[in-house]
Amino acid sequence: MTVIIDGKAVSKRIKDELKELVANKKAQGKTACLAVIQVGNDPASSVYVNNKKKACEYIGIGSKSYELKEETSQEELLSLIDSLNEDDDVSGILVQLPLPGHINEDTVIRRISPKKDVDGFHPMSVGALSIGEDGFVSCTPQGVIELLKRYDIEISGKECVVVGRSNIVGKPMAMLLLRENGTVTLCHSKTRDLKAVCKRADILVVAVGKPKLIDHEYVKEGAVVIDVGIHRMENGKLCGDVDYEDVYDLCSAITPVPGGVGPMTIAMLMKNCCKNL
Ligand code: NDP
């Protein structure tokens, strides 16, 4: 029987655990506060920012919100980040991406202090992950590991195939699976015979950004399939990078879309916000 990995339930459990932790720390006089910066008013970004603020409120983490005009200059944004880096009340800084075209995202990411880089995008955080040092880890791949662990899915020694090599999902995902002693293959658009490589996987993590790319021809019987992708179809429903119905019977466990990896991202952001409490 295929296990449906319930990211929504796990995310809720983690948020409740963090709520308890935050309350205990508060009693010792320790608090966390997330500064969220949004430039412009892209509706999707506004939804994400609001969800992050709501999660902070639920857990008991303070939040400071900076809604900057679309025309805000890069210098103005950098100077706000500088002041938040210096602000002892702020433990985490998040700049909602994407940024307007006139602002260089790399420059902005690099300006956030690695000590407050709760998104885990700073090159220092990425470097720490790759050499096994402590640091902030990108939330979505961290959420995938958390799901596997909470479902008692062994990673050590397993054939792990990650499809997609973006800096925010695919690459840190591969590093995290390696850290858990998986045998990791990282695939991308130039991978030859993707089907054959995926079919080797005990654990297949898909983050390609292509709706339903992965069907039964890519999945080994008994594999665990983790679908990071999220797309809105013409009928308004959401789907992932995996053709869920087509692979379901083959898998030992699978994440649905929605309700799989998605809710874990925000839970891991909250976990990162509490990291230095
Ligand atoms: P990117 O577009 O940045 O990266 C996609 C990767 O997939 C690239 O490495 C690309 O290869 C590879 N790729 C594209 N097409 C193919 C193909 N046909 N065969 C093999 N590899 C291919 O995407 P992201 O990593 O940012 O996101 C991936 C998906 O995850 C998206 O659907 C996104 O919406 C979702 N997402 C979900 C999150 C969540 O919270 N649930 C968070 C972040 C992302 P190459 O490098 O060669 O171009």
Side-chain angles (χ1 to χ4, degrees):
M1 208 184 71
T2 307
V3 172
I4 299 172
I5 298 176
D6 187 347
K8 207 171 160 193
V10 175
S11 166
K12 167 84 170 61
R13 217 172 305 137
I14 291 170
K15 284 192 261 182
D16 286 337
E17 289 164 12
L18 291 172
K19 190 175 183 166
E20 204 178 317
L21 172 84
V22 167
N24 287 337
K25 294 288 178 182
K26 221 173 239 173
Q28 299 165 25
K30 293 178 189 163
T31 55
C33 175
L34 174 67
V36 183
I37 306 173
Q38 183 181 1
V39 186
N41 44 17
D42 170 59
S45 291
S46 300
V47 171
Y48 293 134
V49 164
N50 267 329
N51 287 342
K52 288 165 189 173
K53 285 194 273 190
K54 271 194 229 155
C56 284
E57 205 174 312
Y58 180 75
I59 292 166
I61 298 171
S63 70
K64 292 187 180 191
S65 182
Y66 299 86
E67 282 148 31
L68 308 183
K69 290 199 206 89
E70 179 89 20
E71 320 71 81
T72 303
S73 71
Q74 179 164 308
E75 278 317 306
E76 283 171 298
L77 175 57
L78 294 176
S79 120
L80 171 60
I81 292 171
D82 287 343
S83 68
L84 295 170
N85 281 339
E86 295 299 317
D87 185 342
D88 290 338
D89 289 340
V90 171
S91 42
I93 303 171
L94 184 148
V95 178
Q96 185 63 45
L97 302 178
L99 290 167
H102 63 279
I103 299 178
N104 184 295
E105 285 187 358
D106 277 343
T107 308
V108 170
I109 287 169
R110 280 161 203 261
R111 196 66 161 248
I112 297 170
S113 163
K115 291 185 188 135
K116 301 190 179 187
D117 176 35
V118 285
D119 258 337
F121 295 165
H122 192 288
M124 292 270 286
S125 308
V126 177
L129 173 63
S130 72
I131 59 170
E133 282 186 4
D134 185 47
F136 287 107
V137 176
S138 181
C139 301
T140 303
Q142 193 188 159
V144 170
I145 297 290
E146 194 77 34
L147 277 181
L148 293 171
K149 287 190 171 171
R150 291 196 181 226
Y151 272 81
D152 290 326
I153 294 167
E154 179 78 33
I155 303 170
S156 182
K158 295 286 179 65
E159 286 283 345
C160 303
V161 174
V162 179
V163 193
R165 58 171 163 183
S166 71
N167 289 338
I168 59 167
V169 187
K171 282 182 197 151
M173 189 72 252
M175 294 311 304
L176 285 170
L177 289 164
L178 187 61
R179 195 164 83 175
E180 298 296 331
N181 299 315
T183 302
V184 183
T185 307
L186 183 52
C187 303
H188 45 78
S189 65
K190 305 291 186 293
T191 297
R192 254 187 286 157
D193 202 356
L194 184 66
K195 283 182 188 171
V197 179
C198 289
K199 205 130 192 164
R200 293 205 305 258
D202 301 312
I203 299 173
L204 177 63
V205 183
V206 189
V208 285
K210 299 267 151 62
K212 301 189 183 185
L213 175 78
I214 301 298
D215 64 17
H216 68 276
E217 292 188 54
Y218 295 72
V219 178
K220 177 171 79 175
E221 178 132 30
V224 173
V225 174
I226 306 290
D227 189 354
V228 179
I230 184 148
H231 311 274
R232 193 163 294 279
M233 295 185 289
E234 276 177 8
N235 63 8
K237 287 196 175 157
L238 295 174
C239 77
D241 290 343
V242 175
D243 189 339
Y244 184 86
E245 279 79 23
D246 193 58
V247 306
Y248 180 87
D249 285 335
L250 273 175
C251 307
S252 59
I254 186 166
T255 56
V257 177
V261 174
M264 292 302 290
T265 300
I266 200 146
M268 293 301 102
L269 174 68
M270 294 300 111
K271 192 173 173 194
N272 280 351
C273 289
C274 299
K275 186 172 185 294
N276 295 323
L277 262 180

